[in-house]
Amino acid sequence: LQHHQGYGALRTGLLFLPVALATIVGAQVAGHVIGTAGGRKVAVIGLLIAAVGTGVAALGQGPVTVVVGISVGAAGIGAAFVASSATALGQVAHHEAGTASGLLSTFHEFGAAHVVYRLSLPGDVVAHETISIPEKARKALHHATTCNG
């Protein structure tokens, strides 16, 4: 929204506050029902909610639709994260929980980075870019570490 709609950073940040709140709500609800419904059911429902919300945001028009869709999707992701965490940590011994939790968090981040990478590839093909991935990484690092971009 910031670049597409021309909104400032503060306005964009405030518009995405419901996304953070929805993630919290999804995680809290999942935490309360996972004991009776089970991890698999919570994960499936959470991922379906995430898919619907993301679809609404992708196909909708206007900032309200985007924020509502992403918020719904975030509630589903919050629930899915609780299901994955509870399932993974429920399978390890108490003294291994810290290591398992660290691995789970690490692979969540690797997964997210991989998805961003994969989704950015079609844009490169459409834009007919010919620079390599290492060159893109170098340019991104340079941009991130210089004040003038």
Side-chain angles (χ1 to χ4, degrees):
L1 291 177
Q2 189 169 356
H3 297 290
H4 186 65
Q5 296 288 333
Y7 293 165
L10 179 61
R11 184 175 183 183
T12 303
L14 291 174
L15 280 170
F16 276 88
L17 188 58
V19 175
L21 296 175
T23 305
I24 293 167
V25 169
Q28 287 296 312
V29 169
H32 288 289
V33 302
I34 196 166
T36 55
R40 181 174 295 180
K41 191 177 285 187
V42 170
V44 168
I45 291 170
L47 291 173
L48 287 173
I49 290 170
V52 168
T54 305
V56 166
L59 300 174
Q61 298 291 320
V64 173
T65 306
V66 170
V67 172
V68 169
I70 294 297
S71 295
V72 170
I77 290 295
F81 278 177
V82 166
S84 68
S85 296
T87 301
L89 296 176
Q91 304 298 317
V92 298
H94 180 71
H95 68 279
E96 295 174 327
T99 303
S101 178
L103 285 170
L104 181 66
S105 294
T106 299
F107 283 102
H108 275 163
E109 296 303 318
F110 278 142
H114 182 73
V115 168
V116 169
Y117 165 72
R118 285 298 199 190
L119 291 177
S120 70
L121 289 178
D124 289 346
V125 172
V126 171
H128 304 291
E129 287 194 26
T130 58
I131 62 174
S132 66
I133 297 299
E135 178 67 12
K136 287 182 184 181
R138 188 195 63 73
K139 285 185 176 187
L141 181 61
H142 175 74
H143 180 74
T145 57
T146 58
C147 294
N148 60 4

